[in-house]
Amino acid sequence: MIRYSLRCENTHEFEGWFSESADFDRQVASGFLTCPVCNSASISKLLMAPSVSTARKKDEMQTLAMDTMRRDVFQKLKEAVATIKANSEDVGTRFPEEARKIHYGESDARGIIGQTTMDEAQALLEEGIEIAALPVLPDDVN
C-alpha cells in the first residue's frame, strides 16, 4: 500500500491509501476520490518525504531483535538449569565418586549435580562417563 498526503482545491489536507501509484490517478480521473471535508473532486498529491530505511535504522532494529532474542534464550536456559537442579541430587564435592558409582552400577541410576575440578572432569570423560557443566547464570539478564 502507498500512503499519499493529499489536498483539495480548497486547501483541505488529508491522506489516502492506494494499492499502487496508478490507482490514485484512476480514482482522480473517474471522480471517485473526493475531499472528505468539502467533497471537492479536484485533488492533488502533496510532496512527501520518502520513508528511507537507513543503515542506522536497520542496526537499531537488529539490536532490538537480538536483545529480545538474547533475553528469550537466557530465560529458556535458566528454566532448563532450574529443571535439572530440581530433578537431581546435589552431591557436592563427592560428584566424581558418585558419578563413577552410578556409571559402574555400584549405585542406583539417578541425576546428580555437584562440583569437581577440571582434571577430574576430564578423567570422568576419558572413562566414558557422560557429564556436562551447568552454566552459572546471572539472576537478571537485560
Side-chain angles (χ1 to χ4, degrees), residues 58-74:
K58 287 180 184 176
D59 288 345
E60 289 170 1
M61 290 302 291
Q62 184 175 14
T63 299
L64 178 62
M66 291 301 291
D67 286 348
T68 301
M69 186 170 62
R70 186 183 77 150
R71 274 193 301 275
D72 291 347
V73 167
F74 271 101

Side-chain angles (χ1 to χ4, degrees), residues 10-129:
N10 297 314
T11 69
H12 298 124
E13 293 184 10
F14 57 100
E15 67 179 35
W17 291 82
F18 304 92
S19 60
E20 59 184 356
S21 181
D23 191 26
F24 168 81
D25 296 330
R26 280 192 297 275
Q27 288 186 33
V28 168
S30 69
F32 182 74
L33 184 60
T34 60
C35 174
V37 177
C38 66
N39 211 30
S40 169
S42 180
I43 308 294
S44 60
K45 291 188 248 180
L46 297 174
L47 288 177
M48 293 177 43
S51 177
V52 178
S53 181
T54 64
R56 190 167 105 200
K57 282 184 185 177
K58 287 180 184 176
D59 288 345
E60 289 170 1
M61 290 302 291
Q62 184 175 14
T63 299
L64 178 62
M66 291 301 291
D67 286 348
T68 301
M69 186 170 62
R70 186 183 77 150
R71 274 193 301 275
D72 291 347
V73 167
F74 271 101
Q75 184 59 38
K76 288 178 183 174
L77 191 54
K78 284 173 65 174
E79 290 169 6
V81 169
T83 299
I84 291 168
K85 287 182 177 182
N87 294 294
S88 301
E89 178 186 345
D90 189 345
V91 295
T93 57
R94 295 177 303 138
F95 182 80
E97 295 82 25
E98 289 297 320
R100 283 187 178 93
K101 286 180 185 177
I102 293 169
H103 180 74
Y104 293 112
E106 299 169 8
S107 184
D108 291 337
R110 66 194 188 283
I112 62 171
I113 59 173
Q115 300 86 38
T116 189
T117 65
M118 288 298 288
D119 289 339
E120 193 63 51
Q122 185 63 36
L124 290 169
L125 290 170
E126 288 172 0
E127 287 180 52
I129 301 171

